[in-house]
């Protein structure tokens, strides 16, 4: 008889932390997540280790910080991948029936497809399936914006998905995430019932291009969408390198009306992903295994969506590195469900040891801590600092290093410029305090912590020795 808990991890792409509980156009953006939160622990100050897909997902799956595991940019070919064991394989080695359905942006050796998991479907499988149906999966030139980006010491022209909105013209069931849903349900329905399972469903939405299927394309009226106050407005004393970054270039000359359309499309895709989560939870309940399943929801990173006059991710503002994180532990008559909101800072690095502890597996040495004690009523460490880094996208490039505490965020960049934000007084990070004498000690202390952490984890970046 299976007594160990099952595991379901659902991850979205580009979903912002503030989407949880958000109401737009008179409707909840994430109704299924909101219901789950009423039976779970919500970590309101969760941060990723990098506002970019591959480094964020590799660190999450291994529990090892990017500068230590070596994957610091979107290394699609795996040139920097190391022999780090993802939690998928650790769980399988411990007797779990393990499936992965969705985006595969984890870079370890061997690649995840070649790890011998019990079930594996990714975006390559979807592309073949969709093309056999006559569904176009490539991005259209009209959806792309040309920017200038640093890559391996050179300025290179790159194309990225823009803020422009279009409608997905094929049947809803052919959309990438509904394919991943069908594959996830197949895994759940065809699994062996005498073993615990671990399912990793990695959705694409609300990642751009903002090509939205119905009914989600019409779900949010752009004219009724409420935008944050700092749309199109850079922070005071913002370092000059920020305007040269890809997110700032992507947001140039975008009007407030265009941002409303982009928000409406992004919200529609977010609600679509939430509906898919709801269908997975419904299947667990139908099978009678919901109570004995540890469910964890997060996203790899967020999206600026016009705030700070930026689009997409790749910067250290809250919109990009602050992520949703909800954890439901298994429940029983002896151990009833706990509902809580934890405001202490936590990291994506904490997810690997959390899931392994839930499965009764020693997590070993890693860079995170298990969140189970906090979910069971423990007190967060008020002095904890969590860290994030950005090192370029298609290759080594623009440098950002960040340290986040309960109240402050410190950011250091490749031109040795500093940022400091008081997240309590200035949650939208509109006033850089790094050069304010009243905050000099705080900035110096967080600089030292940020430098020491990254250097201890093999950072290749040469920090300013004269600071």
């Amino acid at each position: 008889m299976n007594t160990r808990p099952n595991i379901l991890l659902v991850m979205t792409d580009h979903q912002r932390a503030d989407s949880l509980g958000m109401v737009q156009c008179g409707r909840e953006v994430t109704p299924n997540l909101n219901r789950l939160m009423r039976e779970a622990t919500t970590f309101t100050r969760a941060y990723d280790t990098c506002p970019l897909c591959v480094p964020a997902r590799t660190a999450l799956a291994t529990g090892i910080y990017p500068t230590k595991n070596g994957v610091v940019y979107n290394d699609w070919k795996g040139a920097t991948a190391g022999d780090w064991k993802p939690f998928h394989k650790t769980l399988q080695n411990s007797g779990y029936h393990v499936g992965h359905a969705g985006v595969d942006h984890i870079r370890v050796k061997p690649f995840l497809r070649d790890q011998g998991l019990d079930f594996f479907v990714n975006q390559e499988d979807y592309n073949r399936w969709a093309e056999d149906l006559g569904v176009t999966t490539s991005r259209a030139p009209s959806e792309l914006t040309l920017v200038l980006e640093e890559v391996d010491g050179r300025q290179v022209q790159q194309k990225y998905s823009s803020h422009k909105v279009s409608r997905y013209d094929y049947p809803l069931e052919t959309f990438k995430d509904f394919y991943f849903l069908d594959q996830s349900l197949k895994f759940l329905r065809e699994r062996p019932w005498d073993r615990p399972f671990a399912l990793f469903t990695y959705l694409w939405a609300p990642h751009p291009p903002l090509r939205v299927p119905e009914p989600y394309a019409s779900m949010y009226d752009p004219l009724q969408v409420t935008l944050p106050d700092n749309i199109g407005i850079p922070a005071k004393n913002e370092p000059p390198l920020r305007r040269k970054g890809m997110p700032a270039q992507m947001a140039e000359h975008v009007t407030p009306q265009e941002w409303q359309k982009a928000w409406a499309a992004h919200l529609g895709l977010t609600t679509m992903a939430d509906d898919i989560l709801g269908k997975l939870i419904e299947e667990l309940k139908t099978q009678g295994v919901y109570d004995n399943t540890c469910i964890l929801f997060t996203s790899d990173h967020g999206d600026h969506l016009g705030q700070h006059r930026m689009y997409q991710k790749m910067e250290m503002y809250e919109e990009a590195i602050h992520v949703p994180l909800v954890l439901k532990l298994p429940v029983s008559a002896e151990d009833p469900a706990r509902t809580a909101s934890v405001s202490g800072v936590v990291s994506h690095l904490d997810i690997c040891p959390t899931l392994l502890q839930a499965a009764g597996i020693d997590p070993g040495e890693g860079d995170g801590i298990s969140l189970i004690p906090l979910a069971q009523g423990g007190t967060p460490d008020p002095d904890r600092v969590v860290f994030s880094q950005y090192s370029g996208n298609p290759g080594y490039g623009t440098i950002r290093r960040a340290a986040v505490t309960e109240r402050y965020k410190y950011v250091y960049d490749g031109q040795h410029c500093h940022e400091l934000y008081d997240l309590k007084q200035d949650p939208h990070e509109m006033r850089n305090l790094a050069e304010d004498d009243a905050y000099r000690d705080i900035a110096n202390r967080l600089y030292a912590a940020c430098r020491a952490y990254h250097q201890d984890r093999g950072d290749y970046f040469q920090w300013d020795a004269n600071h």
Side-chain angles (χ1 to χ4, degrees):
M1 179 180 178
N2 172 30
T3 58
R4 289 192 292 172
N6 305 304
I7 291 172
L8 171 65
L9 188 154
V10 177
M11 183 189 297
T12 53
D13 198 323
H14 277 246
Q15 184 168 345
R16 294 161 53 109
D18 61 3
S19 63
L20 274 63
M22 178 183 286
V23 174
Q24 289 274 11
C25 302
R27 67 180 302 143
E28 292 180 278
V29 176
T30 60
N32 291 292
L33 262 174
N34 297 344
R35 279 191 289 272
L36 180 64
M37 288 164 61
R38 292 194 283 271
E39 301 177 358
T41 302
T42 303
F43 295 88
T44 62
R45 297 288 309 286
Y47 290 87
D48 64 20
T49 57
C50 179
L52 191 67
C53 298
V54 175
R57 292 167 184 264
T58 301
L60 186 151
T62 62
I64 306 297
Y65 193 73
T67 56
K68 184 175 178 180
N69 71 43
V71 181
V72 298
Y73 60 84
N74 273 347
D75 180 9
W76 303 116
K77 295 182 179 180
T80 61
D83 296 325
W84 305 98
K85 189 178 295 182
F87 44 31
H88 307 65
K89 195 63 180 178
T90 302
L91 287 162
Q92 186 186 41
N93 290 344
S94 182
Y96 273 74
H97 186 72
V98 177
H100 173 102
V103 176
D104 169 25
H105 290 164
I106 297 168
R107 289 297 173 262
V108 291
K109 291 182 179 178
F111 276 14
L112 202 58
R113 179 183 286 279
D114 303 320
Q115 293 269 341
L117 303 181
D118 301 292
F119 184 92
F120 183 88
V121 171
N122 71 355
Q123 65 275 7
E124 296 168 4
D125 298 293
Y126 166 74
N127 289 341
R128 288 190 290 267
W129 176 83
E131 287 166 9
D132 286 344
L133 295 176
V135 174
T136 300
T137 60
S138 59
R139 303 182 196 188
S142 61
E143 295 173 321
L144 303 175
T145 294
L146 188 67
V147 301
L148 198 61
E149 186 173 25
E150 180 185 346
V151 181
D152 297 327
R154 299 180 297 114
Q155 293 295 313
V156 178
Q157 288 188 330
Q158 299 281 113
K159 289 184 177 180
Y160 285 93
S161 294
S162 73
H163 67 281
K164 296 176 183 177
V165 176
S166 63
R167 189 159 300 185
Y168 183 79
D169 292 329
Y170 301 101
L172 178 63
E173 60 269 19
T174 67
F175 195 86
K176 184 183 296 188
D177 286 334
F178 280 90
Y179 173 82
F180 294 149
L181 169 64
D182 288 343
Q183 295 298 315
S184 296
L185 293 174
K186 178 181 178 181
F187 169 84
L188 290 173
R189 292 165 181 170
E190 297 179 2
R191 63 185 172 83
W193 287 76
D194 59 346
R195 295 166 58 193
F197 68 80
L199 171 61
F200 299 86
T201 299
Y202 288 3
L203 302 178
W204 173 251
H207 194 296
L210 299 174
R211 193 188 304 171
V212 191
E214 290 290 5
Y216 305 99
S218 302
M219 195 165 281
Y220 297 93
D221 180 355
L223 296 178
Q224 300 300 318
V225 170
T226 302
L227 300 182
D229 293 338
N230 62 338
I231 292 288
I233 305 174
K236 183 179 180 181
N237 301 322
E238 177 191 76
L241 196 58
R242 302 300 172 273
R243 288 301 107 192
K244 297 179 181 180
M246 187 281 283
Q249 294 180 61
M250 293 285 289
E252 289 300 318
H253 312 300
V254 181
T255 68
Q257 292 74 25
E258 289 175 305
W259 285 128
Q260 285 182 300
K261 292 179 181 179
W263 270 78
H266 179 92
L267 293 171
L269 290 170
T270 301
T271 299
M272 184 191 75
D274 185 76
D275 283 349
I276 290 173
L277 170 68
K279 292 180 187 300
L280 291 172
I281 291 175
E282 181 180 351
E283 179 66 24
L284 297 180
K285 291 180 177 180
T286 298
Q287 294 188 10
V289 297
Y290 175 77
D291 284 346
N292 193 41
T293 300
C294 174
I295 300 176
L296 193 146
F297 176 89
T298 190
S299 64
D300 58 352
H301 52 71
D303 194 307
H304 291 95
L305 282 176
Q307 290 180 266
H308 293 96
R309 206 164 76 216
M310 292 181 176
Y311 183 57
Q312 289 214 28
K313 56 267 187 175
M314 304 178 196
E315 292 287 359
M316 294 297 168
Y317 292 116
E318 290 289 280
E319 296 83 21
I321 68 170
H322 184 194
V323 293
L325 180 52
V326 179
L327 172 65
K328 184 198 82 72
L329 295 176
V331 299
S332 64
E334 297 78 24
D335 189 16
R338 294 179 174 87
T339 303
S341 177
V342 175
S343 59
V345 292
V346 301
S347 169
H348 261 177
L349 296 169
D350 302 333
I351 291 175
C352 182
T354 298
L355 295 183
L356 296 184
Q357 182 183 349
I361 302 170
D362 182 354
E365 296 295 325
D367 288 323
I369 62 173
S370 173
L371 299 176
I372 290 178
L374 295 179
Q376 292 177 332
T379 301
D381 178 1
D383 298 321
R384 189 180 186 192
V385 185
V386 297
F387 300 88
S388 189
Q389 68 89 45
Y390 179 73
S391 301
N393 183 0
Y396 295 106
T398 303
I399 295 295
R400 305 284 189 272
R401 302 290 185 261
V404 186
T405 73
E406 191 174 72
R407 179 162 181 172
Y408 296 100
K409 180 190 292 178
Y410 170 82
V411 183
Y412 188 67
D413 71 24
Q415 292 184 340
H416 308 298
C417 291
H418 311 265
E419 289 174 276
L420 180 70
Y421 297 100
D422 184 337
L423 299 177
K424 181 178 180 180
Q425 299 295 331
D426 180 24
H428 282 169
E429 301 164 290
M430 294 305 293
R431 183 186 172 206
N432 176 15
L433 302 169
E435 302 304 322
D436 188 324
D437 288 340
Y439 293 85
R440 190 62 54 86
D441 288 347
I442 296 171
N444 289 341
R445 174 171 57 83
L446 289 178
Y447 167 85
C450 195
R451 175 177 174 170
Y453 185 89
H454 286 89
Q455 289 183 334
D456 286 348
R457 285 156 182 79
D459 197 355
Y460 68 91
F461 172 64
Q462 297 300 310
W463 287 69
D464 183 4
N466 298 318
H467 181 77

